[in-house]
Amino acid sequence: MEKGISTLQLERFDISHERGFLPKEDPAYRFESLELAELRYLEFLGNNIPEMLSNHTLRKTLRNLEPLPIEVLERLPYREKVMAARIYAFLTSAYVHQLEEEKVNSIPRGLAIPFNYLSKALGRKYPILSYDLYALNNWKRKDKSSRIEVENLETIQNFVRLEDEPWFILIHVEIEAEAGPAIASIVTLQDAVAKKDFELLKYALDNMHDSLAEMIETLRRMPEHNNPNLYAFTFRPYIQMFQNVKYEGVNEYSYGPTFRGETGAQSSVIPSLDAALGIKHQKTDLTDYVTDMRNYMPKKHREFIEVVEANEKSKPIREFLMKEGGVGAIRRYNDVLDKLVEFRQKHLEFAVLYIFSKVKDTLGTGGTPFMKWLAQLRDETLAHKINV
Ligand code: HEM
């Protein structure tokens, strides 16, 4: 494990100051590298998921789908592999969770084989729709010269034709972009602790604070165009987990594995900030959800969090501040924690508004006992403030 990361190296983890964990290039929405009827058909299927779900033709269509030859998938450039994975991920979840139909316990080979191949080729651990394909790689800018903000964005892939689903997804995307400066500040922060440079330390903490303030403003906008009833009953069902679902034609998953569903808990932003700020979380109900969510993040983002954690372990920021930090630096550290608590508090209120008050589920789409877990994460953040 490396001991330090420099700003220049952020790129190695597929991270940038401008976009945080969003891809450096905008996600692909057309297969442009190869002109093949099979790829056009896949694109067509992806674009017609809402219609196929509402007229109940999706399962039949996908049961008849032939797996795309691996040689074709192999030849796709990286961005188009991600695009193909995104389409297969949406198709697979649509197939498994089709509303108003019987449950199924297996995924047809036409989906299972190519999706499993692509997941592996992209360094993903599990072939299921996760945050990377639902949010990080599912947006398009209307005006390419303008910023990544919700008004300038549209989604590429959906389960329903309602404005609420794109709004739900794109609020996440804008928050990811706004987190960019906070994530880049992690490098400065760790550098400052190593050098005992208080001015640099305050500068990094102020940047984190301002970045979090913007993220919270955007989070607050969630109810503007995302109706809790529509969220709970029309598209949330499609991002649920897979429980004992077999992957036909894929040996390692023929037993019917269980995978977590899509959730913001698979975003790398908050875990990176927790790691950098020395905020430790306890297991809930004997399960370490924080750590397990990492298995659903892109490989390089997972590795970034590990490096940040290792750095923090060797030079812990809280110990440093408690021993050597002046009141000014400690106050700034506490201000950042207050912002993280505010984010987590507002977010918990949304979990109540959108899920707890609507459905009987005691688990989130990510499979956590969310009411208890989200409150615990908020309280543990608060508990790390340093007395001055
Ligand atoms: C309607 C809005 C939202 C609802 C109902 C919601 C719901 C949830 C739920 C239930 C969990 C627990 C994990 C699980 O799924 O089992 C969770 C976790 C999480 N969500 Fe959301 N979420 C929403 C919006 C967002 C947004 C916009 C973000 C921003 C990226 C986000 C980031 C997170 C994070 C970071 C966690 C992990 C908990 C933490 O670190 O405090 N969520 N969410």
Side-chain angles (χ1 to χ4, degrees):
M1 185 67 61
E2 298 170 58
K3 280 274 178 265
I5 359 166
S6 80
T7 318
L8 285 176
Q9 285 175 297
L10 274 180
E11 211 172 295
R12 262 191 37 211
F13 296 96
D14 288 347
I15 300 171
S16 70
H17 180 277
E18 296 71 29
R19 294 181 169 210
F21 294 102
L22 294 173
K24 194 167 63 181
E25 279 183 74
D26 294 12
Y29 54 90
R30 296 264 310 156
F31 291 114
E32 281 168 350
S33 57
L34 299 174
E35 194 48 62
L36 279 178
E38 292 97 321
L39 287 174
R40 289 283 157 257
Y41 184 54
L42 184 61
E43 219 173 273
F44 166 81
L45 290 176
N47 291 336
N48 283 280
I49 292 176
E51 287 68 30
M52 292 192 293
L53 282 172
S54 62
N55 65 22
H56 293 264
T57 54
L58 183 126
R59 281 188 174 163
K60 184 165 183 270
T61 308
L62 298 179
R63 271 195 291 266
N64 293 328
L65 182 70
E66 279 303 311
L68 255 173
I70 300 299
E71 306 81 72
V72 171
L73 298 175
E74 256 170 2
R75 283 168 57 206
L76 293 175
Y78 179 81
R79 280 173 75 241
E80 293 185 21
K81 278 198 179 78
V82 175
M83 169 174 169
R86 183 183 61 228
I87 298 176
Y88 281 120
F90 269 77
L91 288 171
T92 304
S93 284
Y95 183 89
V96 171
H97 296 302
Q98 164 82 61
L99 288 172
E100 298 151 7
E101 284 191 32
E102 292 291 302
K103 271 184 146 212
V104 288
N105 62 0
S106 70
I107 298 163
R109 49 198 297 283
L111 294 175
I113 296 172
F115 187 26
N116 187 51
Y117 164 79
L118 286 164
S119 271
K120 285 201 186 331
L122 295 170
R124 305 176 82 249
K125 279 204 179 171
Y126 308 124
I128 185 166
L129 176 65
S130 307
Y131 185 77
D132 61 337
L133 299 176
Y134 191 62
L136 290 179
N137 286 287
N138 187 20
W139 53 275
K140 203 163 90 170
R141 274 184 296 171
K142 294 176 192 164
D143 173 0
K144 285 261 185 312
S145 61
S146 294
R147 292 183 46 211
I148 299 176
E149 57 193 0
V150 63
E151 270 80 15
N152 188 36
L153 297 173
E154 50 198 15
T155 46
I156 303 171
Q157 201 64 65
N158 298 293
F159 289 110
V160 289
R161 293 263 180 255
L162 293 168
E163 66 168 352
D164 305 69
E165 190 187 29
W167 188 262
F168 171 68
I169 295 173
L170 298 171
I171 286 285
H172 287 82
V173 174
E174 181 173 335
I175 289 174
E176 291 285 336
E178 286 160 348
I183 301 305
S185 298
I186 292 176
V187 179
T188 320
L189 184 71
Q190 298 199 320
D191 203 25
V193 174
K195 290 186 192 146
K196 303 193 176 184
D197 180 337
F198 285 99
E199 285 316 305
L200 196 61
L201 184 89
K202 288 181 197 163
Y203 172 76
L205 290 171
D206 284 348
N207 273 338
M208 268 185 195
H209 176 277
D210 294 351
S211 200
L212 273 161
E214 277 190 49
M215 291 159 60
I216 294 165
E217 281 314 300
T218 306
L219 179 66
R220 287 183 189 282
R221 298 191 62 194
M222 183 59 86
E224 281 179 28
H225 297 284
N226 182 18
N227 174 299
N229 280 325
L230 295 174
Y231 168 81
F233 301 113
T234 70
F235 55 94
R236 181 175 183 265
Y238 291 113
I239 56 175
Q240 292 283 10
M241 60 197 300
F242 288 176
Q243 276 175 298
N244 306 116
V245 180
K246 299 183 174 90
Y247 285 65
E248 288 168 21
V250 177
N251 273 342
E252 67 180 301
Y253 295 133
S254 58
Y255 67 94
T258 292
F259 296 135
R260 295 186 187 282
E262 189 284 335
T263 167
Q266 294 159 355
S267 160
S268 307
V269 171
I270 303 290
S272 300
L273 295 178
D274 275 349
L277 295 162
I279 300 169
K280 312 268 185 317
H281 296 294
Q282 300 301 316
K283 293 179 184 179
T284 308
D285 297 338
L286 301 179
T287 308
D288 189 350
Y289 294 107
V290 171
T291 309
D292 193 40
M293 290 301 172
R294 292 189 196 171
N295 292 322
Y296 294 80
M297 294 172 187
K299 187 165 177 282
K300 291 194 183 171
H301 298 170
R302 228 182 293 157
E303 288 169 358
F304 175 72
I305 301 173
E306 285 165 14
V307 173
V308 171
E309 246 172 11
N311 282 354
E312 215 286 321
K313 214 170 170 186
S314 67
K315 297 223 165 31
I317 184 166
R318 292 184 78 250
E319 273 177 37
F320 169 66
L321 284 173
M322 284 191 280
K323 274 197 209 133
E324 302 179 48
V327 175
I330 293 180
R331 284 223 169 98
R332 277 177 162 95
Y333 175 83
N334 285 345
D335 286 347
V336 175
L337 263 54
D338 277 336
K339 280 285 157 210
L340 253 185
V341 171
E342 192 183 331
F343 185 94
R344 287 190 150 127
Q345 173 56 31
K346 189 73 232 165
H347 176 266
L348 173 56
E349 288 168 25
F350 286 154
V352 173
L353 175 68
Y354 284 87
I355 310 171
F356 188 68
S357 67
K358 297 289 164 199
V359 293
K360 292 203 180 70
D361 309 11
T362 50
L363 300 185
T365 52
T368 74
F370 65 98
M371 288 302 290
K372 190 172 157 192
W373 189 54
L374 296 175
Q376 178 195 322
L377 295 175
R378 177 202 57 199
D379 296 344
E380 286 170 341
T381 310
L382 192 61
H384 280 75
K385 282 178 73 175
I386 303 171
N387 289 331
V388 273

